[in-house]
Amino acid sequence: MKLSITLAHRFREVILNGKWVANTNLKAQLETVTFDKAEIKIGSLNTMAILAQHIHYYVVGVKQVLEGGTLNIKDVYSFSFSPIESKDQWETFLNNLWNDAEAFATLVEQVPDSQLSSPFVDIKYGTYLRNIEGMIEHCYYHLGQIVLLNKMLSKG
């Protein structure tokens, strides 16, 4: 099997449909969270909505490069989002996240394995492989935070 297909499968696992590593995935965690709950702030912790938007920000930014575009995302903006103010807005955001995640995975599948060792935009960003693996790891990191927040808010 091509490495790019394996990477796309791992990405789908963390975002859309897997249970192998964390026994859950982002979609399973967020699809039952109301927009009110997603926006609840606990101390200095990020909300579930902010964490989900943060993940989406990077998925869209790297997806743009995989589509042949430029890398326009900046860490300084990766947590700067307007609050979600309605059920419709939350559902629209989640649908966009799932659709962009699937599009990202489809694009990863199309990356030739020979390109995985090539520089990603600029050598300072590492290789395509490093960035795709980093995306998967980044998503698992924030998935863990969302799981904990969800549990904390469910005890309340």
Side-chain angles (χ1 to χ4, degrees):
M1 181 183 303
K2 286 178 43 178
L3 179 56
S4 58
I5 292 174
T6 300
L7 292 166
H9 178 75
R10 288 184 54 223
F11 178 78
R12 283 187 183 101
E13 279 184 332
V14 66
I15 298 286
L16 299 170
N17 59 22
K19 290 190 174 189
W20 187 65
V21 172
N23 201 35
T24 190
N25 59 72
L26 191 63
K27 188 173 185 178
Q29 287 298 304
L30 293 179
E31 64 186 357
T32 61
V33 171
T34 64
F35 83 94
D36 290 326
K37 187 175 179 182
E39 286 290 338
I40 294 175
K41 185 109 171 104
I42 300 175
S44 63
L45 302 176
N46 288 307
T47 66
M48 286 188 277
I50 290 291
L51 292 169
Q53 289 171 301
H54 173 77
I55 290 168
H56 187 238
Y57 179 79
Y58 280 103
V59 168
V60 169
V62 175
K63 179 173 80 75
Q64 183 173 312
V65 173
L66 296 176
E67 292 170 329
T70 57
L71 182 64
N72 297 326
I73 52 177
K74 305 237 183 271
D75 291 346
V76 69
Y77 302 121
S78 70
F79 282 101
S80 300
F81 307 104
S82 299
I84 292 174
E85 298 176 335
S86 71
K87 177 183 178 199
D88 288 343
Q89 204 177 21
W90 177 240
E91 289 174 1
T92 297
F93 164 72
L94 289 176
N95 284 328
N96 289 337
L97 174 56
W98 312 143
N99 290 335
D100 286 329
E102 180 55 40
F104 178 91
T106 299
L107 288 164
V108 168
E109 287 174 335
Q110 296 168 11
V111 174
D113 282 355
S114 59
Q115 186 179 351
L116 291 172
S117 59
S118 298
F120 183 82
V121 179
D122 187 307
I123 193 70
K124 69 182 177 184
Y125 298 122
T127 63
Y128 276 80
L129 177 61
R130 182 171 189 226
N131 279 269
I132 295 166
E133 287 181 328
M135 179 67 73
I136 294 164
E137 293 165 7
H138 180 249
C139 290
Y140 272 115
Y141 173 76
H142 291 302
L143 170 60
Q145 292 175 320
I146 289 169
V147 168
L148 290 173
L149 287 168
N150 210 353
K151 286 182 179 185
M152 291 168 72
L153 293 170
S154 293
K155 285 188 170 192

